[in-house]
Amino acid sequence: MFRGSSNHTIDEKGRFIIPTRFRDVIRAKGEETLMISKMDGCLVAYPMDEWSKIEERLLATVDKSAKMRRFRRIFIGAAFKCQVDRQGRVLIPPVLREYGALDKEISLVGVLDHFEIWSKEKLDLEEMHHEEDLKEEDFSNEIAKLGL
């Protein structure tokens, strides 16, 4: 499972180094490849086995609403298969770097079955929004139901 967060930099070629704890998760699955797509203003990176589960669920989706078709089109259409090199680096395609506003400073955030790649500035804003969300009673009650 992917847990924790860390700050990194992207080099001039668009590569970043995956932290060892995330590489260990990827390699434990017998993988050296990630599927990276876009969502919520950041990039999402899945090991191939987790990505396959997503594709299976999307194929099985009964709801063929215009919004779901659009989601599938954008989410799957934006996905790139990215190889982890021997130094533990991944090259992010330019179109995804542009979407995520990934310039120099980035943050990686573990989200259990995948990790997210954020621009440092966007993640700071996301954390600020989260603090505001926590002030809402309905949301606080949802979290309390988790026993937290």
Side-chain angles (χ1 to χ4, degrees), residues 58-77:
L58 285 171
L59 282 172
T61 302
V62 177
D63 184 5
K64 302 292 184 189
S65 69
K67 289 180 181 179
M68 276 307 293
R69 287 194 312 272
R70 184 177 303 117
F71 171 76
R72 284 175 50 172
R73 181 179 307 120
I74 301 302
F75 186 72
I76 300 297

Side-chain angles (χ1 to χ4, degrees), residues 45-109:
Y46 289 87
M48 292 305 295
D49 68 326
E50 294 296 336
W51 184 262
S52 295
K53 293 175 190 176
I54 291 169
E55 288 183 345
E56 288 173 17
R57 288 193 305 267
L58 285 171
L59 282 172
T61 302
V62 177
D63 184 5
K64 302 292 184 189
S65 69
K67 289 180 181 179
M68 276 307 293
R69 287 194 312 272
R70 184 177 303 117
F71 171 76
R72 284 175 50 172
R73 181 179 307 120
I74 301 302
F75 186 72
I76 300 297
F80 283 85
K81 192 175 191 177
C82 300
Q83 194 71 31
V84 180
D85 71 13
R86 292 176 190 235
Q87 289 81 32
R89 298 175 302 188
V90 173
L91 174 66
I92 300 175
V95 68
L96 290 180
R97 287 196 313 265
E98 183 179 330
Y99 171 83
L102 305 177
D103 187 20
K104 192 74 172 157
E105 294 184 36
I106 64 169
S107 296
L108 304 182
V109 180

Side-chain angles (χ1 to χ4, degrees), residues 8 31 40-41 48 71 86 140-141:
H8 301 269
E31 311 265 342
D40 295 335
M48 292 305 295
F71 171 76
R86 292 176 190 235
S140 293
N141 289 337

